[in-house]
Amino acid sequence: MALNNPYNTTPVRNETAAGAAAQLLLLVLLGTAIDLGPVGWLTGLAFAVATWAVLTRALSRSWLVSFGAANRVTLARATLVGGVTALVADSFESPPPVTVLVALTAVALLLDAVDGQVARRTGTSSSLGARFDMEVDAVLILVLSVYVATSLGPWVLLIGAMRYAFVAAARVLPWLNGALPPSTARKTVAALQGVLLLIVGAGVLPHALAFGAALLALTLLSWSFARDIRWLWRTRDSRAEVTAGAR
């Protein structure tokens, strides 16, 4: 496959290697500062390897000749999410350092508003970058929902699992794979998931308010998915006709 590629992909692959190295460095720092346990170490290492492998494969199939500033921001965010994942995994063995967990999550959420702007301003938007950004968001929400579920109950896991359930359903129901129109409401709801779960996870709210915040996050996310699924269902025939005409 490499012989048929007229571009030199080495610089792009070096970016993913640098991302993996940054993830290892963050794990070392966490291990030194808070005595990260074996579960946290193994989970963090697994996250680093999985991110490197998936991203490297995606890049090799995308024919990108430059990784781009926006993807670098997303990769930095992925590194922080790997740290959060390690801390949450370690929390099942010992109480987590909430301050560190909140700090890493907060920076990751802030950077989520940066990579898109960088891509637009530099004219480097790509389908791979958008997918990379979305997957990092999904993992962060899943990990935060696991953490919050330990205090509020298993029902919170629905927040993190909903997107993956949608992807699984799309394998059975092809009409769910349709491209959705841009939506400010969808983006707002997605952003609120991380913010609300972070506030609840920080432990600054009384139990009743924390429960209400998590329930609000789940309600908004359910509404957003139901809205998109309804649109995909109502437009399935017209989209099928367009696809058939294109063929």
Side-chain angles (χ1 to χ4, degrees):
M1 180 179 294
L3 294 177
N4 296 327
N5 189 341
Y7 301 109
N8 180 11
T9 60
T10 300
V12 179
R13 293 182 179 180
N14 286 344
E15 300 274 2
T16 63
Q23 184 72 81
L24 292 176
L25 177 60
L26 178 58
L27 290 175
V28 170
L29 292 175
L30 291 175
T32 303
I34 63 170
D35 193 23
L36 192 66
V39 174
W41 268 104
L42 289 174
T43 304
L45 289 173
F47 183 93
V49 171
T51 301
W52 170 81
V54 173
L55 186 55
T56 298
R57 181 179 181 185
L59 285 168
S60 67
R61 302 169 84 177
S62 70
W63 296 71
L64 286 180
V65 295
S66 174
F67 195 64
N71 283 334
R72 291 189 186 99
V73 175
T74 307
L75 185 58
R77 214 155 52 81
T79 299
L80 296 173
V81 172
V84 173
T85 302
L87 291 174
V88 171
D90 199 54
S91 70
F92 287 93
E93 289 193 331
S94 59
V98 177
T99 303
V100 178
L101 179 64
V102 169
L104 292 178
T105 304
V107 176
L109 291 174
L110 288 173
L111 289 178
D112 189 24
V114 174
D115 50 10
Q117 294 182 10
V118 171
R120 288 187 291 272
R121 291 181 179 180
T122 58
T124 55
S125 299
S126 66
S127 57
L128 183 143
R131 180 65 181 272
F132 185 24
D133 178 62
M134 182 173 60
E135 295 301 337
V136 172
D137 288 341
V139 172
L140 179 58
I141 297 305
L142 176 61
V143 171
L144 289 177
S145 68
V146 170
Y147 179 64
V148 173
T150 59
S151 59
L152 294 184
W155 64 272
V156 183
L157 295 174
L158 292 172
I159 298 174
M162 198 171 299
R163 191 253 172 183
Y164 295 101
F166 179 85
V167 172
R171 292 182 176 274
V172 181
L173 304 171
W175 56 268
L176 287 174
N177 288 310
L180 290 164
S183 170
T184 301
R186 186 189 309 118
K187 292 179 180 178
T188 302
V189 169
L192 281 174
Q193 300 305 304
V195 174
L196 290 172
L197 288 174
L198 173 60
I199 293 173
V200 174
V204 297
L205 297 177
H207 186 273
L209 289 179
F211 187 94
L215 183 60
L216 175 62
L218 177 59
T219 301
L220 289 173
L221 190 62
S222 299
W223 169 81
S224 181
F225 269 99
R227 177 171 171 263
D228 287 343
I229 291 172
R230 182 169 178 250
W231 186 89
L232 290 170
W233 171 258
R234 294 179 63 180
T235 61
R236 69 191 187 285
D237 293 334
S238 59
R239 286 185 287 112
E241 291 175 1
V242 170
T243 302
R247 291 177 180 174

PDB file of all heavy atoms in Angstrom, residues 159 162-164 166 220-230:
ATOM      1  N   ILE A 159     -25.525   8.145  29.644  1.00  0.00           N
ATOM      2  CA  ILE A 159     -25.008   9.351  28.985  1.00  0.00           C
ATOM      3  C   ILE A 159     -23.810   8.999  28.107  1.00  0.00           C
ATOM      4  O   ILE A 159     -23.735   9.396  26.940  1.00  0.00           O
ATOM      5  CB  ILE A 159     -24.608  10.403  30.037  1.00  0.00           C
ATOM      6  CG1 ILE A 159     -25.837  10.831  30.842  1.00  0.00           C
ATOM      7  CG2 ILE A 159     -23.960  11.616  29.370  1.00  0.00           C
ATOM      8  CD1 ILE A 159     -25.506  11.756  32.004  1.00  0.00           C
ATOM      9  N   MET A 162     -24.780   6.313  25.094  1.00  0.00           N
ATOM     10  CA  MET A 162     -25.792   6.605  24.084  1.00  0.00           C
ATOM     11  C   MET A 162     -25.218   6.728  22.677  1.00  0.00           C
ATOM     12  O   MET A 162     -25.764   6.202  21.713  1.00  0.00           O
ATOM     13  CB  MET A 162     -26.556   7.874  24.461  1.00  0.00           C
ATOM     14  CG  MET A 162     -27.879   8.023  23.725  1.00  0.00           C
ATOM     15  SD  MET A 162     -28.885   9.383  24.353  1.00  0.00           S
ATOM     16  CE  MET A 162     -29.157   8.880  26.057  1.00  0.00           C
ATOM     17  N   ARG A 163     -24.104   7.405  22.549  1.00  0.00           N
ATOM     18  CA  ARG A 163     -23.522   7.576  21.223  1.00  0.00           C
ATOM     19  C   ARG A 163     -23.064   6.237  20.638  1.00  0.00           C
ATOM     20  O   ARG A 163     -23.245   5.962  19.449  1.00  0.00           O
ATOM     21  CB  ARG A 163     -22.346   8.551  21.312  1.00  0.00           C
ATOM     22  CG  ARG A 163     -21.836   9.002  19.953  1.00  0.00           C
ATOM     23  CD  ARG A 163     -20.526   8.380  19.629  1.00  0.00           C
ATOM     24  NE  ARG A 163     -20.113   8.646  18.259  1.00  0.00           N
ATOM     25  CZ  ARG A 163     -19.030   8.150  17.725  1.00  0.00           C
ATOM     26  NH1 ARG A 163     -18.233   7.380  18.435  1.00  0.00           N
ATOM     27  NH2 ARG A 163     -18.730   8.399  16.471  1.00  0.00           N
ATOM     28  N   TYR A 164     -22.489   5.380  21.496  1.00  0.00           N
ATOM     29  CA  TYR A 164     -22.027   4.076  21.020  1.00  0.00           C
ATOM     30  C   TYR A 164     -23.207   3.167  20.686  1.00  0.00           C
ATOM     31  O   TYR A 164     -23.110   2.342  19.764  1.00  0.00           O
ATOM     32  CB  TYR A 164     -21.120   3.443  22.065  1.00  0.00           C
ATOM     33  CG  TYR A 164     -19.848   4.221  22.261  1.00  0.00           C
ATOM     34  CD1 TYR A 164     -19.679   5.082  23.340  1.00  0.00           C
ATOM     35  CD2 TYR A 164     -18.808   4.123  21.340  1.00  0.00           C
ATOM     36  CE1 TYR A 164     -18.521   5.813  23.514  1.00  0.00           C
ATOM     37  CE2 TYR A 164     -17.635   4.852  21.497  1.00  0.00           C
ATOM     38  CZ  TYR A 164     -17.504   5.704  22.585  1.00  0.00           C
ATOM     39  OH  TYR A 164     -16.348   6.441  22.737  1.00  0.00           O
ATOM     40  N   PHE A 166     -25.977   4.290  19.445  1.00  0.00           N
ATOM     41  CA  PHE A 166     -26.428   4.815  18.156  1.00  0.00           C
ATOM     42  C   PHE A 166     -25.577   4.236  17.022  1.00  0.00           C
ATOM     43  O   PHE A 166     -26.103   3.821  15.978  1.00  0.00           O
ATOM     44  CB  PHE A 166     -26.338   6.338  18.170  1.00  0.00           C
ATOM     45  CG  PHE A 166     -26.758   6.987  16.889  1.00  0.00           C
ATOM     46  CD1 PHE A 166     -28.091   7.264  16.634  1.00  0.00           C
ATOM     47  CD2 PHE A 166     -25.811   7.319  15.920  1.00  0.00           C
ATOM     48  CE1 PHE A 166     -28.478   7.864  15.442  1.00  0.00           C
ATOM     49  CE2 PHE A 166     -26.184   7.916  14.732  1.00  0.00           C
ATOM     50  CZ  PHE A 166     -27.527   8.192  14.489  1.00  0.00           C
ATOM     51  N   LEU A 220     -31.296  16.135  28.125  1.00  0.00           N
ATOM     52  CA  LEU A 220     -30.931  16.923  26.946  1.00  0.00           C
ATOM     53  C   LEU A 220     -30.326  16.043  25.858  1.00  0.00           C
ATOM     54  O   LEU A 220     -30.629  16.200  24.666  1.00  0.00           O
ATOM     55  CB  LEU A 220     -29.935  18.013  27.345  1.00  0.00           C
ATOM     56  CG  LEU A 220     -30.485  19.165  28.191  1.00  0.00           C
ATOM     57  CD1 LEU A 220     -29.344  20.070  28.640  1.00  0.00           C
ATOM     58  CD2 LEU A 220     -31.521  19.958  27.413  1.00  0.00           C
ATOM     59  N   LEU A 221     -29.477  15.106  26.268  1.00  0.00           N
ATOM     60  CA  LEU A 221     -28.849  14.222  25.284  1.00  0.00           C
ATOM     61  C   LEU A 221     -29.886  13.314  24.626  1.00  0.00           C
ATOM     62  O   LEU A 221     -29.841  13.081  23.411  1.00  0.00           O
ATOM     63  CB  LEU A 221     -27.769  13.381  25.962  1.00  0.00           C
ATOM     64  CG  LEU A 221     -26.864  12.570  25.032  1.00  0.00           C
ATOM     65  CD1 LEU A 221     -26.085  13.498  24.096  1.00  0.00           C
ATOM     66  CD2 LEU A 221     -25.898  11.706  25.833  1.00  0.00           C
ATOM     67  N   SER A 222     -30.827  12.807  25.412  1.00  0.00           N
ATOM     68  CA  SER A 222     -31.892  11.953  24.868  1.00  0.00           C
ATOM     69  C   SER A 222     -32.735  12.736  23.865  1.00  0.00           C
ATOM     70  O   SER A 222     -33.087  12.221  22.796  1.00  0.00           O
ATOM     71  CB  SER A 222     -32.776  11.432  26.001  1.00  0.00           C
ATOM     72  OG  SER A 222     -32.036  10.650  26.904  1.00  0.00           O
ATOM     73  N   TRP A 223     -33.048  13.979  24.207  1.00  0.00           N
ATOM     74  CA  TRP A 223     -33.816  14.832  23.293  1.00  0.00           C
ATOM     75  C   TRP A 223     -33.049  15.062  21.990  1.00  0.00           C
ATOM     76  O   TRP A 223     -33.627  14.981  20.900  1.00  0.00           O
ATOM     77  CB  TRP A 223     -34.112  16.167  23.965  1.00  0.00           C
ATOM     78  CG  TRP A 223     -34.656  17.185  23.005  1.00  0.00           C
ATOM     79  CD1 TRP A 223     -35.939  17.295  22.563  1.00  0.00           C
ATOM     80  CD2 TRP A 223     -33.900  18.214  22.331  1.00  0.00           C
ATOM     81  NE1 TRP A 223     -36.031  18.333  21.647  1.00  0.00           N
ATOM     82  CE2 TRP A 223     -34.806  18.902  21.496  1.00  0.00           C
ATOM     83  CE3 TRP A 223     -32.557  18.604  22.379  1.00  0.00           C
ATOM     84  CZ2 TRP A 223     -34.403  19.975  20.710  1.00  0.00           C
ATOM     85  CZ3 TRP A 223     -32.157  19.663  21.584  1.00  0.00           C
ATOM     86  CH2 TRP A 223     -33.068  20.341  20.764  1.00  0.00           C
ATOM     87  N   SER A 224     -31.757  15.326  22.092  1.00  0.00           N
ATOM     88  CA  SER A 224     -30.954  15.603  20.908  1.00  0.00           C
ATOM     89  C   SER A 224     -30.880  14.386  19.993  1.00  0.00           C
ATOM     90  O   SER A 224     -31.049  14.499  18.768  1.00  0.00           O
ATOM     91  CB  SER A 224     -29.539  16.026  21.336  1.00  0.00           C
ATOM     92  OG  SER A 224     -28.734  16.315  20.212  1.00  0.00           O
ATOM     93  N   PHE A 225     -30.653  13.206  20.569  1.00  0.00           N
ATOM     94  CA  PHE A 225     -30.596  11.993  19.757  1.00  0.00           C
ATOM     95  C   PHE A 225     -31.958  11.680  19.151  1.00  0.00           C
ATOM     96  O   PHE A 225     -32.045  11.291  17.976  1.00  0.00           O
ATOM     97  CB  PHE A 225     -30.112  10.813  20.603  1.00  0.00           C
ATOM     98  CG  PHE A 225     -28.621  10.624  20.578  1.00  0.00           C
ATOM     99  CD1 PHE A 225     -27.828  11.097  21.603  1.00  0.00           C
ATOM    100  CD2 PHE A 225     -28.004   9.975  19.519  1.00  0.00           C
ATOM    101  CE1 PHE A 225     -26.445  10.936  21.578  1.00  0.00           C
ATOM    102  CE2 PHE A 225     -26.630   9.805  19.479  1.00  0.00           C
ATOM    103  CZ  PHE A 225     -25.849  10.288  20.521  1.00  0.00           C
ATOM    104  N   ALA A 226     -33.028  11.842  19.928  1.00  0.00           N
ATOM    105  CA  ALA A 226     -34.368  11.574  19.414  1.00  0.00           C
ATOM    106  C   ALA A 226     -34.704  12.511  18.252  1.00  0.00           C
ATOM    107  O   ALA A 226     -35.302  12.098  17.250  1.00  0.00           O
ATOM    108  CB  ALA A 226     -35.391  11.745  20.537  1.00  0.00           C
ATOM    109  N   ARG A 227     -34.287  13.754  18.379  1.00  0.00           N
ATOM    110  CA  ARG A 227     -34.511  14.751  17.315  1.00  0.00           C
ATOM    111  C   ARG A 227     -33.778  14.357  16.038  1.00  0.00           C
ATOM    112  O   ARG A 227     -34.344  14.428  14.936  1.00  0.00           O
ATOM    113  CB  ARG A 227     -34.032  16.107  17.825  1.00  0.00           C
ATOM    114  CG  ARG A 227     -34.118  17.267  16.858  1.00  0.00           C
ATOM    115  CD  ARG A 227     -33.806  18.544  17.621  1.00  0.00           C
ATOM    116  NE  ARG A 227     -33.655  19.684  16.744  1.00  0.00           N
ATOM    117  CZ  ARG A 227     -32.516  20.161  16.302  1.00  0.00           C
ATOM    118  NH1 ARG A 227     -31.367  19.585  16.682  1.00  0.00           N
ATOM    119  NH2 ARG A 227     -32.461  21.214  15.505  1.00  0.00           N
ATOM    120  N   ASP A 228     -32.524  13.935  16.169  1.00  0.00           N
ATOM    121  CA  ASP A 228     -31.755  13.546  14.997  1.00  0.00           C
ATOM    122  C   ASP A 228     -32.286  12.259  14.370  1.00  0.00           C
ATOM    123  O   ASP A 228     -32.355  12.138  13.139  1.00  0.00           O
ATOM    124  CB  ASP A 228     -30.287  13.358  15.377  1.00  0.00           C
ATOM    125  CG  ASP A 228     -29.592  14.685  15.636  1.00  0.00           C
ATOM    126  OD1 ASP A 228     -30.126  15.738  15.220  1.00  0.00           O
ATOM    127  OD2 ASP A 228     -28.511  14.665  16.264  1.00  0.00           O
ATOM    128  N   ILE A 229     -32.647  11.308  15.205  1.00  0.00           N
ATOM    129  CA  ILE A 229     -33.185  10.045  14.691  1.00  0.00           C
ATOM    130  C   ILE A 229     -34.496  10.285  13.951  1.00  0.00           C
ATOM    131  O   ILE A 229     -34.743   9.686  12.888  1.00  0.00           O
ATOM    132  CB  ILE A 229     -33.387   9.038  15.846  1.00  0.00           C
ATOM    133  CG1 ILE A 229     -32.015   8.589  16.389  1.00  0.00           C
ATOM    134  CG2 ILE A 229     -34.194   7.837  15.390  1.00  0.00           C
ATOM    135  CD1 ILE A 229     -32.097   7.754  17.650  1.00  0.00           C
ATOM    136  N   ARG A 230     -35.323  11.168  14.482  1.00  0.00           N
ATOM    137  CA  ARG A 230     -36.592  11.504  13.824  1.00  0.00           C
ATOM    138  C   ARG A 230     -36.327  12.114  12.448  1.00  0.00           C
ATOM    139  O   ARG A 230     -36.989  11.770  11.463  1.00  0.00           O
ATOM    140  CB  ARG A 230     -37.387  12.477  14.701  1.00  0.00           C
ATOM    141  CG  ARG A 230     -38.742  12.857  14.122  1.00  0.00           C
ATOM    142  CD  ARG A 230     -39.567  13.601  15.167  1.00  0.00           C
ATOM    143  NE  ARG A 230     -40.841  14.015  14.611  1.00  0.00           N
ATOM    144  CZ  ARG A 230     -41.176  15.269  14.351  1.00  0.00           C
ATOM    145  NH1 ARG A 230     -40.312  16.248  14.632  1.00  0.00           N
ATOM    146  NH2 ARG A 230     -42.348  15.575  13.845  1.00  0.00           N
TER     147      ARG A 230
END
